[in-house]
Amino acid sequence: MKTERGGWRPMRRDELRDELVHDTYKSGKKLAEPSRCPDCGAVYHRGRWTWSPAPSGAAEATCPACHRIKDEFPAGRVTLKGPFLAAHRDEIVQLVRNREAHERAEHPLQRIIAIESDPDGALITTTDIHLARNIGDALHSAYKGDLEYHYNKEENLLRVEWRR
Ligand SMILES: [Zn+2]
């Protein structure tokens, strides 16, 4: 498997499953438990972020997803291209949105930052690499097409390219 410039490496789907690590973006210091993110309301408790109500006395700490949104530094980038996309854009974007809603309900750190459309395609940025991978999987299982993953392990970034 060849390595690309800048630490990027093409990956197969089955390889990715074992490779992806949890997002530790800006979690240099250990968070107080429980903590509540003042921006989105997610609560850090027993080592994970949930949508549970904040217990009284919770500290405040910005969650990694809100940090990435503020920094405009997505963990995942999903590029969509091709004539099938152009002809079914609304339906495909809806599928992507549904997938995000499903993941986000369970995993507060998995969010879409933006969906930018242009005449050539669309770019979806995400706060978490797992969501980017799952969007790629969802597109492929719904519509087939060509799907590629490129993972940057050092920086924990994932690029997904889907074309049909
Ligand atoms: Zn947050």
Side-chain angles (χ1 to χ4, degrees):
M1 193 68 75
K2 71 179 193 296
T3 302
E4 299 165 15
R5 245 178 306 197
W8 291 94
R9 198 159 92 81
M11 302 281 277
R12 294 195 318 266
R13 244 174 111 193
D14 53 333
E15 289 181 305
L16 263 184
R17 205 154 289 280
D18 302 326
E19 279 275 345
L20 300 191
V21 295
H22 270 289
D23 199 15
T24 53
Y25 188 62
K26 297 212 164 161
S27 62
K29 67 179 165 81
K30 200 160 168 18
L31 286 171
E33 291 200 29
S35 282
R36 180 181 172 278
C37 177
D39 296 311
C40 69
V43 169
Y44 185 75
H45 193 40
R46 297 198 178 109
R48 56 191 291 261
W49 289 92
T50 71
W51 292 121
S52 310
S56 61
E60 288 211 335
T62 303
C63 74
C66 290
H67 262 307
R68 283 193 182 275
I69 292 165
K70 276 187 194 165
D71 292 351
E72 298 179 21
F73 188 58
R77 304 170 74 86
V78 187
T79 309
L80 316 181
K81 280 197 165 66
F84 181 85
L85 167 74
H88 300 85
R89 188 184 290 266
D90 292 349
E91 179 195 334
I92 290 168
V93 167
Q94 193 55 50
L95 178 123
V96 169
R97 288 275 181 210
N98 291 347
R99 187 72 206 196
E100 184 220 12
H102 177 81
E103 298 293 334
R104 190 186 51 196
E106 280 289 311
H107 308 286
L109 303 188
Q110 302 204 14
R111 287 176 230 164
I112 287 175
I113 300 174
I115 300 181
E116 295 163 30
S117 286
D118 65 39
D120 286 339
L123 170 67
I124 301 153
T125 48
T126 68
T127 55
D128 188 283
I129 54 179
H130 295 84
L131 179 59
R133 181 198 62 197
N134 289 341
I135 288 171
D137 282 356
L139 290 167
H140 191 260
S141 63
Y143 304 114
K144 305 297 179 241
D146 297 322
L147 183 62
E148 282 178 35
Y149 297 106
H150 300 261
Y151 182 43
N152 187 324
K153 191 171 189 169
E154 287 68 37
E155 301 200 52
N156 199 33
L157 304 173
L158 186 68
R159 268 190 357 238
V160 182
E161 285 159 31
W162 179 77
R163 172 184 285 274
R164 185 181 160 190

